[in-house]
Amino acid sequence: MTFAALALIIAAALAGAPLFAVLMAGAMLGFYSAEIPLSVIAIEVYRIVDTPLLVALPLFTYSGYVLAEAKTSERLVNLVQSLFGSLPSGLAMVGFVACALFTALTGASGVTIVALGALLLPALKQAGYSDKFSLGLVTTSGSLGLLLVPSVPLILYGIVAQQLEVGEPFTITDLFIAGVMPLMLMLSLLVIWTLWHHRGGKIPRIPFSGATFWSALKAARWELPLPFVVLGGIYSGFLAISEAAAVTAVYVTLVEVVLYREIPLKKLPEVMIESMVMVGGILLVLGVALAFTNYLVDAEIPQALFEFMQTHVQSALGFLLLLNMLLLVLGAMLDIFSALVIVVPLILPVAAGYGIHPVHLGIVFLANMQIGYFTPPVGMNLFIASYRFKKPLLELYSACLPFMLVLLVALLLITYVPWFSLAFID
Amino acid sequence: MIDPLVRLLRFIEDSILVSSLTVMIGLAAYQVIARNFFDTGILWGDSVVRVLVLWITFAGATVASRNDEHIRMDLLARYVKPSSQVLLVRFRCLFTALLAATFTWFSLEFVLLDYEDGVKAFGDVPAWICEAVMPVGGAVIAFRYLLHTFFPPAQVSE
C-alpha cells in the first residue's frame, strides 16, 4: 500500500506535478504511516508566520521586478562600461560585474539574461568579441551573483539550513559574508581567462572619457545609492535583512515611479502581481518542505544516509567530491528551489557528520547550482538564452563550455579550500 | 456559467495580492524608520507583516495555479511525445487537485480547532482569521487543478 502510494507520487513528480503537491504527498504519506494526525501539515505550513526572515523574500523579489521593468539594466551597463571600458577586455569585465550585481538583486530567475543579455550581446559583438565568446558570456553570467546578497536562493538556503539545527550554529549574516570571496574568486578567474583569451590586443580599447563617465553617473544617480543601502546596511549590521528589504522596496518604487517615471503608477499592480506569483510559488513549496523535512528528521533518514555514506566514504574530501558530482547533475536537472528544499535537508546532516561547516556547504551547494544553470543538456539558462537570442542549443553548449571549465576550477577551489568561505567567520 | 465566477475569483486574488504587498511594504518601512530614528514602532506591526507573508503565499499560489505555473521538476514531460502530453497533464493535474483538496480539509480542521479554542494570533486578533487563508487558498487551488484536469491548459514549452 505504502509502496504503491510512493510509486504514484514518484510518477506524478516525473509527469511534472507541482513540487508543492509532490512534497505534500510525500510528507502526508510519511506522517500517515507514522500515525501522526495529518493536520500537522497545516501547522507546519503556518510556521511561515514564525519565520521573520521570510519577510525579506517578497520585498526583495518585488524590488527586483521593479528594477527589471525600468531601464535600470541600461544605466547599470553604461555606468560600469564608462568605468571599466578603457581596461583591456573592459567590456567583458563590464558584463561579468553588471550581471553579478543584477542577478543578486533580481534573483537568478533568468531575468539577467533577458534584461542584460539583450544589451550586452550586441555591445560585445560591436566591440570586437567573437559571437561565440559573447554568447557564452551572457549565458553563463546569468547565474553569476547567486552568492551575493540579497540573492533569494542564498536567503532560502539560510532558512532551510537553520531549520535543521545541525552542525555549527551560524547567523544569516555569516552566510552573506561567506559568499563574497567565492564570488570574487569566480570573477577573478573569469577575468584572467578573458584576458588570456584575448591576449595580444585583439580587442580595441576605448579611451576613458570623463564626460561619458559623468553623464553615466548622472543618469544613474538615483539608483546608485541602492547597492550601498542593501550591501552596506546588511554587512555593517545597521539593518536586519528584512529591514533592508523594506527600505529597498520603498526606495525602488520611489525612484522608478516618481523620479525616473519609467513605470506608470497604473502599471505597478501588474508588476506586484507578477512578482508575488513567483513568491507565492516559492513560499508554498518552502512551507510544505518544512513539513517534509520534519518528517525526514523524525524518521531519522539523514542519519541512515550518513551511516550508509560512512561505510563507503571515509574522508570529508571524498564526500565533497561525490557531492560536487551529484549536485552538478542535479543542478542541471532540477531548478534551484526544488534542489534547495529537497536536497539540503538530506545532505546537510550528512555533511555535518563529516565535520563540514553548514556555511561552507551552502556556498558549495549554490556554486554548484550556479553552474547547473548552464550545464547541458537541460540547464535552464541555456533554454532561456536559446529562446531570447534565437540560437540553437548546440551552439550555446559549445559557447558556454570554456566559461564552464573556468567556473569548475573556481568550484573546486571553493570546495576544497573552505578558507574562501569561512575566512571572515568566527 | 463558470466564467463570471472565475473572473470574480481573479479579481479577488489580484486585490489581495496588491493590497497585502502594499500594506506590507508600507508597514515594514514605517517600522524601520520608527525603530531606528524615533525608538518607537507599532507593537503588532511585525506580526501583521508576517501574517501578510502567509496571505501573499496563498494568494500568489492560487494565481500561479491559473495557468499551472507552479515550480516543478519536470523530468519526464520533455521526452513524451505530444500526443501523450494531454494525458500526462490530466494525470498530474488530478494528482495536484486531490492533494490540494486534502490540504484544504486538514487545514480547515486546524483553523476550526483554533476557532473553538479562541486562540489569539496577536493582540485581540483571533488566530483563525490569519489562518483562514490556508483552507481558502487550498480550495481554490484544488478547484483550478480540477478544471485543468478536464480542460488541460495549452502547454507552454520552454
Side-chain angles (χ1 to χ4, degrees), chain A residues 210-263:
Chain A
T212 316
F213 174 60
W214 182 242
S215 78
L217 197 66
K218 235 171 62 188
R221 66 190 178 283
W222 297 116
E223 283 151 343
L224 216 50
L226 206 56
F228 297 99
V229 172
V230 177
L231 299 178
I234 293 172
Y235 285 125
S236 71
F238 181 74
L239 293 173
I241 173 109
S242 55
E243 293 183 322
V247 173
T248 307
V250 171
Y251 186 79
V252 160
T253 311
L254 191 76
V255 165
E256 307 304 345
V257 177
V258 180
L259 296 172
Y260 284 121
R261 292 168 189 262
E262 283 171 352
I263 302 177

Side-chain angles (χ1 to χ4, degrees), chain A residues 12 14-19 21 24 42-43 46 49 55 59 62 243 246 250 272-273 276-277 280 283-284 334-335, chain B residues 14 17 22 25 28-29 35 49-50 54 56-57 63 70-73 76 92 95-96 99 103 107 110 130-131 145:
Chain A
L14 290 176
L19 187 59
M24 204 180 262
I43 298 171
Y46 191 63
V49 172
V55 175
L59 294 172
Y62 161 75
E243 293 183 322
V250 171
M272 286 181 161
I273 292 168
M276 286 311 103
V277 170
L283 285 182
L284 184 59
L334 298 181
D335 78 288
Chain B
D14 288 354
L17 270 187
T22 310
I25 294 172
R35 198 172 310 150
V49 168
R50 279 173 6 216
L54 185 76
I56 285 176
T57 301
V63 177
H70 277 281
I71 296 171
R72 65 180 86 247
M73 294 194 275
L76 193 67
R92 70 172 190 230
F95 175 84
T96 310
L99 256 301
F103 176 76
S107 56
F110 169 61
C130 309
E131 298 160 358
Y145 273 95

Side-chain angles (χ1 to χ4, degrees), chain A residues 21-33:
Chain A
V22 173
L23 287 176
M24 204 180 262
M28 280 181 179
L29 181 66
F31 285 126
Y32 178 77
S33 50

Side-chain angles (χ1 to χ4, degrees), chain A residues 116-132:
Chain A
L116 274 184
L119 286 172
L120 282 170
L121 192 63
L124 283 165
K125 284 189 197 166
Q126 202 186 5
Y129 296 90
S130 69
D131 252 25
K132 193 177 156 188

